[in-house]
Amino acid sequence: MLDPTVRRVLEGTSIAHLATVLPDGAPHTTPVYVGPHGDHIVFFTGPGMRKARNLRRDPRLAISIAPADNPFEPVTIRGRVIDWIQGDPAWE
């Protein structure tokens, strides 16, 4: 279950920074739009993008969000990819 504070931030207009692991073990970060999808967090990426390739190889990730309404109270999330939504359902 998503914490209500995290859900509020995800439902806002904040930009998140996604951290993944490069093949050599170095960190890779990139800005992404994030949002809630039930009790999970979703973000969009193309299948050939570096972040997608990193996550298919190693599903661990970290997300940092500075809420637009209060950037001095950031939200950080660590976890792993549990599913990939593809095709038309992904565009929804």
Side-chain angles (χ1 to χ4, degrees), residues 3 5 7 17 27 32 38 40 42 44 50-51 68 73 75 78 82 86 90:
D3 178 278
T5 301
R7 183 176 294 282
H17 286 85
V32 293
H40 297 100
V42 294
F44 180 82
R50 167 55 46 192
K51 60 185 170 281
E73 289 191 20
V75 170
R78 285 185 291 174
I82 61 164
Q86 299 180 37

Side-chain angles (χ1 to χ4, degrees), residues 1-60:
M1 179 171 199
L2 284 175
D3 178 278
T5 301
V6 173
R7 183 176 294 282
R8 181 189 62 77
V9 171
L10 290 170
E11 289 174 344
T13 58
S14 305
I15 300 290
H17 286 85
L18 171 71
T20 62
V21 181
L22 289 166
D24 68 0
H28 176 263
T29 63
T30 186
V32 293
Y33 290 106
V34 294
H37 186 271
D39 283 330
H40 297 100
I41 299 168
V42 294
F43 57 89
F44 180 82
T45 185
M49 300 298 293
R50 167 55 46 192
K51 60 185 170 281
R53 294 191 323 262
N54 289 346
L55 290 167
R56 288 210 183 269
R57 189 192 71 261
D58 183 339
R60 295 176 299 163

